[in-house]
Amino acid sequence: MSTYAAIELSLPEWIDAEIDFTVRYADDDARMALAIGLARRNVELGTGGPFGAAILRSDGELIAVGVNRVVPQQCSVAHAEMLAFMSAQKRIGRFRLNEDGARYLLATSAQPCAMCYGASFWAGIDELVIGARAEDVMQLSEFDEGPLPADWIGELEKRGIAVRRDVQRQPARAIFELYRSLAGTSY
């Protein structure tokens, strides 16, 4: 038996067919529409849970995307943000994205859970744009977002990460309503 194992996670095949990496996302609304669209397609196609995320440079260049794949991949860390971080790190070739001096942004359809929150500052993002709040997620689904510091926004800002939330909050909430209406516990 090997003393090591290869670990592989994958995004659904529809990502390659539907996401155009040449498009520039000029503002928070466009970036959030992308994240929400990813979450919606993931639910509609039955390829995972109701979360979508995108990593972009501050100039709007799309670097990577992620969708929730916990159940299909049988992996508790296969959250949309984590897969977006991993994809961006592989594409850029380093674990800390902003080491090149560029500014990087994470747009996520819902507030990061405790795990994705911690990964946010280690991955090297400079801005965090959030759609639905954690309380929306827990109100509309059975997901447990885990414990965060009372002043989680302040803690990120201390690390130089600007936080903007409630960007398209209602459309982001609607993904959880869609998920629930489709008997969302199967993903």
Side-chain angles (χ1 to χ4, degrees), residues 33-157:
L34 172 62
I36 291 169
L38 288 162
R40 177 179 305 284
R41 289 302 283 160
N42 208 37
V43 171
E44 290 171 346
L45 296 173
T47 54
F51 301 90
I55 305 287
L56 305 101
R57 285 197 178 98
S58 60
D59 66 0
E61 178 187 357
L62 180 59
I63 303 300
V65 298
V67 292
N68 180 282
R69 301 277 289 155
V70 169
V71 173
Q73 298 284 294
Q74 301 175 351
C75 180
S76 62
V77 300
H79 289 200
E81 298 91 340
M82 300 299 284
L83 291 176
F85 289 143
M86 288 182 239
S87 295
Q89 291 160 342
K90 183 166 181 75
R91 180 173 177 200
I92 301 281
R94 61 183 171 273
F95 68 89
R96 187 146 183 90
L97 298 173
N98 61 5
E99 281 186 343
D100 63 354
R103 292 183 58 80
Y104 290 83
L105 174 142
L106 168 64
T108 180
S109 63
Q111 179 179 317
C113 69
M115 173 180 62
C116 297
Y117 165 81
S120 293
F121 49 87
W122 291 318
I125 64 164
D126 304 289
E127 301 173 54
L128 174 59
V129 180
I130 303 167
R133 292 182 177 211
E135 54 262 33
D136 299 332
V137 173
M138 292 187 286
Q139 174 193 15
L140 297 168
S141 71
E142 296 179 9
F143 295 104
D144 180 352
E145 296 301 275
L148 291 176
D151 184 22
W152 63 271
I153 293 174
E155 291 297 324
L156 289 175
E157 289 173 343

